[in-house]
């Protein structure tokens, strides 16, 4: 929502700055008479003014209205393009968020698959002759493997701990440990 308002203002500011850009370099030496009428210059003979070239007040008013209308249309066009650009940015943000969400759910699914495989392997190792110490070693190995898988899939520390807890609980259950 903020982008819809901030982007048009930024664009208008950039256009205003571009319009005000003055590329004339400063003179090497200042001229004290610069900007002052030449009071000592020879009088210029006034040429006769061709009144056919002058605009009547009605023509000047009409021309002013045309210029204002063109300026309004240009402004509206800029605002429309700015709004469209803002909408495009919002859409791109939403798409990026969707992609990130999909990647996160894919990572969660991948971790679940890894935990399932680790627990299945632990179940295959189950044997009546295993001591509790050997079973606890299997549980520790499964937990470590699940945590490493979670880290490899970019999970934060809470996600890594959760993966380890889930793998440990399921492995204890499979091996008959409390």
């Amino acid at each position: 929502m903020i982008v819809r308002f901030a982007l048009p203002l930024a664009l208008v500011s950039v256009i205003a700055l571009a319009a005000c850009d003055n590329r004339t370099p400063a003179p090497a030496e200042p001229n004290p008479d610069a900007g002052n009428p030449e009071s000592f210059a020879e009088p210029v003979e006034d040429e006769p003014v061709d009144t056919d070239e002058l605009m009547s007040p009605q023509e000047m008013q009409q021309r002013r209205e045309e210029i204002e209308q063109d300026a309004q249309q240009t402004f509206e066009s800029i605002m429309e393009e700015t709004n469209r650009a803002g909408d495009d940015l919002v859409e791109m943000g939403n798409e990026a968020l969707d992609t990130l969400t999909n990647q996160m759910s894919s990572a969660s699914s991948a971790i679940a698959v890894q935990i399932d495989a680790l627990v299945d392997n632990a179940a295959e190792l189950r044997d009546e002759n295993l001591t509790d110490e050997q079973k606890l070693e299997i549980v520790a190995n499964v937990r470590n493997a699940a945590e490493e898988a979670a880290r490899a899939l970019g999970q934060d520390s809470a996600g890594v701990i959760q993966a380890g807890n889930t793998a440990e609980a399921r492995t204890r259950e499979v091996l008959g440990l409390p």
Side-chain angles (χ1 to χ4, degrees), residues 74-101:
T74 300
F75 179 75
E76 288 172 1
S77 172
I78 290 169
M79 290 304 293
E80 185 178 316
E81 289 176 21
T82 301
N83 287 337
R84 201 172 320 124
D87 291 343
D88 290 346
L89 285 173
V90 168
E91 186 177 329
M92 287 171 46
N94 289 340
E95 289 174 2
L97 185 59
D98 290 344
T99 300
L100 184 60
T101 301

Side-chain angles (χ1 to χ4, degrees), residues 2 29 32 48 50 78 82 84-85 91 126 135 149 162:
I2 292 174
E29 287 186 31
D50 186 7
I78 290 169
T82 301
R84 201 172 320 124
E91 186 177 329
R126 183 177 50 207
K135 289 179 183 178
Q162 178 62 35

Side-chain angles (χ1 to χ4, degrees), residues 10 35 44 50 53 66 69 77 86 143 148 167:
V44 178
D50 186 7
E53 292 180 18
E66 288 173 0
Q69 185 178 12
S77 172
R143 180 183 182 96
E148 286 303 316

Side-chain angles (χ1 to χ4, degrees), residues 4-20 71 74-83:
R4 281 196 157 168
F5 295 108
L7 194 57
L9 290 175
L11 184 58
V12 168
S13 297
V14 168
I15 291 171
L17 286 173
C20 294
T74 300
F75 179 75
E76 288 172 1
S77 172
I78 290 169
M79 290 304 293
E80 185 178 316
E81 289 176 21
T82 301
N83 287 337

Side-chain angles (χ1 to χ4, degrees), residues 113-174:
V113 168
Q114 289 289 330
I115 290 172
D116 289 343
L118 291 168
V119 171
D120 289 344
N121 287 342
E124 289 176 12
L125 294 175
R126 183 177 50 207
D127 185 355
E128 299 295 324
N129 296 328
L130 285 176
T131 64
D132 284 344
E133 185 177 301
Q134 290 171 324
K135 289 179 183 178
L136 289 173
E137 186 177 323
I138 292 172
V139 169
N141 288 338
V142 168
R143 180 183 182 96
N144 289 337
E147 288 176 347
E148 286 303 316
R151 279 189 198 92
L153 291 170
Q155 295 294 303
D156 60 4
S157 61
V160 170
I161 291 170
Q162 178 62 35
N165 289 344
T166 301
E168 181 177 340
R170 289 185 53 199
T171 305
R172 282 179 172 274
E173 183 181 326
V174 166

